[in-house]
């Protein structure tokens, strides 16, 4: 079994989900009391949020690059960045580390294509929905992304940071997300990406107007595949 190096803490709520999913799936596949080999470096989310707000992505990339080097030195075989938004600085991490980074967009695009879909809605932080690093990588793999309006992006971003990152789950916020998903369906979306690792705390497959692609679960399961690969 390979050792998974997780760069976490962005937010702690989503890092907990990654840890649970990876270990439960490892145990399901291997049985007994088996669990995954994981090294976790959890950064201070407040520092990352401050750098996001100031637009200093180079400094944010440097923080995560240092984390990657620490995990590599500790014996990790590959890296998992337990956040969607910070894949914006994935190149800085890849340049700093001598071990592979399992990219969330690659894992999610593969899951979408396995279902035979080509156009999906994208929900996430404002950075993920509008900055291009996510949508362009999806497009390069043959998946078109349809994003909410600017006003919807602002409200989704607010809910993520002011509620979900603090584990505040509000029914009215869930209804808002489902309304946005319904509108994306009318625009031609065949499914919807939960492109922020906290959104799965609020949105579920049962209540969604579209099939859900939970990037947190998809990414975590892909890490198990990589850890157990021959």
């Amino acid at each position: 079994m390979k050792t998974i190096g997780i760069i976490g803490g962005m937010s702690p709520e989503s890092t907990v989900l990654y840890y649970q999913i990876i270990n439960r799936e490892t145990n399901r596949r291997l049985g007994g009391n088996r669990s995954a080999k994981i090294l976790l470096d959890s950064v201070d989310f407040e520092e990352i949020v401050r750098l996001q707000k100031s637009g200093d992505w180079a400094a944010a990339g440097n923080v995560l690059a240092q984390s990657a080097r620490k995990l590599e030195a500790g014996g990790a075989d590959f890296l998992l960045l337990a956040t969607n938004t910070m894949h914006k600085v994935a190149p800085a991490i890849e340049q700093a580390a001598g071990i592979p980074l399992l990219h969330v967009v690659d894992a999610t695009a593969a899951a979408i294509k396995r279902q035979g879909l080509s156009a999906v809605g994208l929900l996430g932080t404002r950075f993920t929905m509008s900055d291009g690093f996510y949508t362009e990588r999806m497009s390069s793999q043959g998946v078109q992304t349809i994003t909410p309006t600017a006003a919807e992006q602002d409200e989704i971003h607010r809910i993520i940071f002011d509620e979900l990152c603090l584990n505040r789950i509000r029914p009215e916020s869930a209804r808002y997300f489902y309304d946005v998903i319904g509108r994306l369906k009318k625009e031609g979306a065949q499914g919807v990406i939960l492109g922020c690792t906290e959104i799965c705390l609020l949105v579920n497959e049962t209540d969604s107007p579209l099939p859900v692609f939970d990037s947190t679960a998809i990414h975590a399961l892909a890490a198990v595949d990589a850890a157990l690969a021959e």
Side-chain angles (χ1 to χ4, degrees):
M1 187 189 307
K2 298 182 181 69
T3 299
I4 305 168
I6 301 179
I7 305 173
M10 301 164 285
S11 70
E13 297 301 326
S14 64
T15 303
V16 168
L17 292 174
Y18 270 91
Y19 188 84
Q20 287 179 334
I21 294 167
I22 290 170
N23 278 295
R24 287 172 180 171
E25 180 64 11
T26 299
N27 183 261
R28 187 190 71 81
R29 296 190 195 185
L30 301 182
N33 290 305
R34 298 296 297 277
S35 58
K37 293 181 178 179
I38 293 174
L39 291 175
L40 169 64
D41 186 50
S42 188
V43 304
D44 180 0
F45 192 36
E46 179 61 29
E47 179 182 5
I48 297 299
V49 170
R50 178 177 55 80
L51 294 172
Q52 288 176 345
K53 289 179 178 179
S54 67
D56 195 348
W57 293 98
N62 185 54
V63 171
L64 300 191
Q66 290 179 28
S67 178
R69 286 191 289 265
K70 189 185 305 182
L71 291 167
E72 181 181 12
D77 293 299
F78 67 94
L79 297 169
L80 197 68
L81 181 56
T83 163
N84 280 263
T85 297
M86 294 312 296
H87 277 77
K88 182 178 171 70
V89 299
I93 296 169
E94 291 170 324
Q95 290 169 12
I99 54 177
L101 172 69
L102 182 59
H103 202 291
V104 68
V105 173
D106 298 343
T108 305
I112 291 166
K113 291 192 288 186
R114 282 196 295 270
Q115 297 298 318
L117 307 186
S118 59
V120 293
L122 173 62
L123 304 179
T125 65
R126 188 188 304 108
F127 311 115
T128 295
M129 292 184 286
S130 64
D131 281 8
F133 71 94
Y134 206 101
T135 56
E136 290 169 10
R137 193 171 181 117
M138 274 286 173
S139 178
S140 72
Q141 299 186 51
V143 179
Q144 176 194 358
T145 48
I146 303 170
T147 54
T149 66
E152 289 168 343
Q153 289 185 26
D154 286 343
E155 179 61 6
I156 290 167
H157 187 90
R158 185 199 66 76
I159 291 170
I160 289 169
F161 279 93
D162 293 352
E163 298 177 20
L164 300 183
C165 286
L166 303 174
N167 201 29
R168 296 171 183 165
I169 312 302
R170 295 176 175 166
E172 60 270 26
S173 295
R175 287 193 294 271
Y176 184 83
F177 270 72
Y178 292 132
D179 288 344
V180 172
I181 294 170
R183 195 188 60 73
L184 292 172
K185 182 178 181 179
K186 291 179 182 178
E187 288 194 19
Q190 303 161 321
V192 62
I193 301 169
L194 307 187
C196 174
T197 41
E198 286 83 14
I199 297 178
C200 62
L201 299 170
L202 191 68
V203 174
N204 61 70
E205 182 85 45
T206 302
D207 298 323
S208 173
L210 286 171
V212 166
F213 292 90
D214 177 0
S215 65
T216 302
I218 291 168
H219 199 202
L221 294 176
V224 177
D225 289 340
L228 299 182
E230 292 292 337

